Amino acid sequence: MKRALITGITGQDGFYLAEYLLSLGYEVHGLARQTGLEHIRGNLLQDVPPELYQRCHLHAVNLDNFPGLYRLVSSIPFDECYHLAASSFVGERLADGYQTIQNNIASTHYLLAALNEFQPGCRFYFAGSSEMFGRPDKAPQDEQTPMNPRSAYGISKVAGYHLARNYRESMGMFCGVGILYNHESPRRRPEFVTRKITLAAARIATGGGGRLQLGNVEARRDWGHAPDYVRAMHAILNHDEPRDFVVATGILHSVADICETAFAHAGLDWREHVESTADFYREEEQVPLTGNAERITQETGWRPTVTFEQMICAMVDADMARMRTLS
Ligand code: NDP
Ligand code: GDR
């Protein structure tokens, strides 16, 4: 039986990855902060069935608790480590990004150093992001596209990527990097735009009222489905050689498309309920972030299975069911 460590197991991807690895027969260990564990134990983690976590071995370690990371890695041998924990919100001002940079870079470096010392044979997955391309000069982007991050988050992910690449090339560790584009699900945190929209559509359709304030509704992204993308993470670590892979659908949609799909599915006209405000605007993007996933498809057979429309409608259905339970 293979043993895997997932950092960030209380997040969206951590949940789906744990579920997927358990279905493959793995022994799954998860790293979470104490508050996350309390939420699991008290059944307070929004929308997550506690049974999933009862099947995992959970360890309370904050990313900045280096002795705690060290103790964990020196005491349990892992076959695979999926490093998903991170401050993951992009839309903060660069000047406010200290915590993001500190959290994301130091934890990645520390985890790699500890693994290299105690179990250099453990395969390491780094959760890279399309935000590493930031403001690219071409679309779609692929593994050769130059990195040009434009946020504290993007900068932290480029640094993590270079750390992983260095441990691969200089120390011979198996470090695989997934450069993942946006991926969503009913477990997406509410500050991200898809979930913000599906929650609002469900709330208004079930009589909760209110208006939805968004930033630029013309902003476009390459949105995929989280359960599809955790399969890609596993494929990357189980490939013959450690490599970097773009994971994307290659299809662009706008924020307005999400509104149209979500509100129509809830029986509403989005134009009557949504307004744009400068508070949520970000820097204008000339070239859209959309990925060419040819390498991972050719080398591992991975491809997305759920469409944008199916995913958004499923998110609205899940939020409607929640609203009805609450009312
Ligand atoms: P989430 O924000 O849903 O989850 C982040 C996880 O990291 C949570 O479990 C969170 O714990 C944990 N975490 C954050 N800070 C700390 C800390 N100081 N100590 C311990 N744990 C911490 O992210 P996703 O699941 O969506 O994403 C997973 C990874 O993939 C992230 O690295 C993200 O940057 C990256 N990524 C995500 C994409 C997406 O579209 N979802 C696309 C590309 C990359 P807690 O519950 O306590 O907050
Ligand atoms: P992103 O996701 O920044 O791409 O990061 P987010 O959902 O926050 O934004 C997507 C796009 O929507 C536009 N937008 C708004 N975004 C938010 N959050 N709120 C709004 O009101 C709003 N209005 C318009 C944004 O400008 C942007 O263009 C996610 C995270 O999961 C990262 O961790 C990950 O690395 C990247 O995806 C790939």
Side-chain angles (χ1 to χ4, degrees):
M1 180 193 278
K2 277 193 183 176
R3 186 181 292 128
L5 173 65
I6 301 174
T7 72
I9 197 164
T10 54
Q12 170 189 260
D13 291 5
F15 172 86
Y16 287 112
L17 182 62
E19 195 173 50
Y20 183 57
L21 295 182
L22 285 168
S23 78
L24 297 177
Y26 277 62
E27 177 180 311
V28 175
H29 290 245
L31 182 150
R33 343 184 206 214
Q34 188 61 42
T35 45
L37 285 189
E38 297 303 332
H39 286 158
I40 291 171
R41 290 186 185 125
N43 197 11
L44 298 173
L45 203 62
Q46 199 196 14
D47 319 317
V48 173
E51 306 80 64
L52 186 270
Y53 289 110
Q54 283 158 12
R55 298 169 59 207
C56 301
H57 303 257
L58 299 176
H59 307 274
V61 185
N62 195 311
L63 285 184
D64 62 12
N65 174 1
F66 296 155
L69 279 178
Y70 197 81
R71 251 193 319 276
L72 180 60
V73 169
S74 61
S75 58
I76 303 172
F78 297 108
D79 299 292
E80 295 169 11
C81 172
Y82 295 85
H83 180 37
L84 309 184
S87 300
S88 73
F89 193 66
V90 178
E92 63 187 344
R93 291 185 321 129
L94 195 56
D96 297 330
Y98 287 94
Q99 174 65 22
T100 298
I101 287 186
Q102 173 76 10
N103 213 10
N104 294 359
I105 302 178
S107 62
T108 304
H109 194 181
Y110 206 82
L111 199 49
L112 278 163
L115 283 170
N116 185 48
E117 182 162 343
F118 292 107
Q119 30 186 325
C122 173
R123 294 186 170 203
F124 182 85
Y125 173 84
F126 178 67
S129 162
S130 50
E131 285 295 318
M132 298 185 331
F133 298 127
R135 298 291 169 269
D137 54 16
K138 65 156 201 178
Q141 299 82 43
D142 60 27
E143 294 81 2
Q144 270 75 48
T145 303
M147 291 177 186
N148 183 21
R150 294 298 286 267
S151 60
Y153 171 83
I155 292 165
S156 77
K157 288 291 180 181
V158 171
Y161 162 76
H162 284 302
L163 281 164
R165 198 177 50 75
N166 261 285
Y167 273 87
R168 174 168 74 207
E169 292 172 6
S170 310
M171 319 280 186
M173 281 176 70
F174 190 112
C175 297
V177 178
I179 305 175
L180 271 55
Y181 285 64
N182 302 52
H183 46 278
E184 319 293 314
S185 75
R187 299 210 160 81
R188 186 59 140 153
R189 295 191 171 189
E191 63 268 32
F192 295 100
V193 77
T194 51
R195 188 73 197 291
K196 189 171 166 182
I197 294 169
T198 61
L199 270 170
R203 186 190 65 238
I204 296 166
T206 52
R211 290 183 69 72
L212 173 62
Q213 293 198 325
L214 295 172
N216 181 9
V217 295
E218 300 308 324
R220 291 184 300 161
R221 282 281 184 276
D222 178 333
W223 274 289
H225 190 225
D228 276 343
Y229 284 37
V230 301
R231 282 192 296 105
M233 296 175 189
H234 179 257
I236 289 170
L237 277 204
N238 285 274
H239 191 45
D240 311 336
E241 48 174 328
R243 296 199 79 180
D244 310 324
F245 292 97
V246 160
V247 180
T249 67
I251 302 170
L252 279 166
H253 287 280
S254 66
V255 172
D257 293 337
I258 308 173
C259 292
E260 173 69 46
T261 307
F263 277 77
H265 191 62
L268 301 165
D269 179 349
W270 71 278
R271 287 177 187 79
E272 293 171 10
H273 305 281
V274 176
E275 59 200 30
S276 263
T277 144
D279 293 349
F280 296 111
Y281 259 78
R282 298 191 199 158
E283 187 189 353
E284 202 70 47
E285 290 159 7
Q286 305 303 326
V287 177
L289 285 172
T290 179
N292 173 357
E294 215 172 285
R295 177 187 282 180
I296 191 165
T297 300
Q298 275 178 5
E299 295 192 17
T300 75
W302 178 88
R303 58 183 76 246
T305 64
V306 172
T307 66
F308 171 82
E309 288 76 14
Q310 288 168 334
M311 175 178 78
I312 297 298
C313 292
M315 289 173 71
V316 173
D317 289 340
D319 283 328
M320 297 268 253
R322 262 177 219 119
M323 298 287 168
R324 291 198 186 99
T325 323
L326 291 176
S327 61

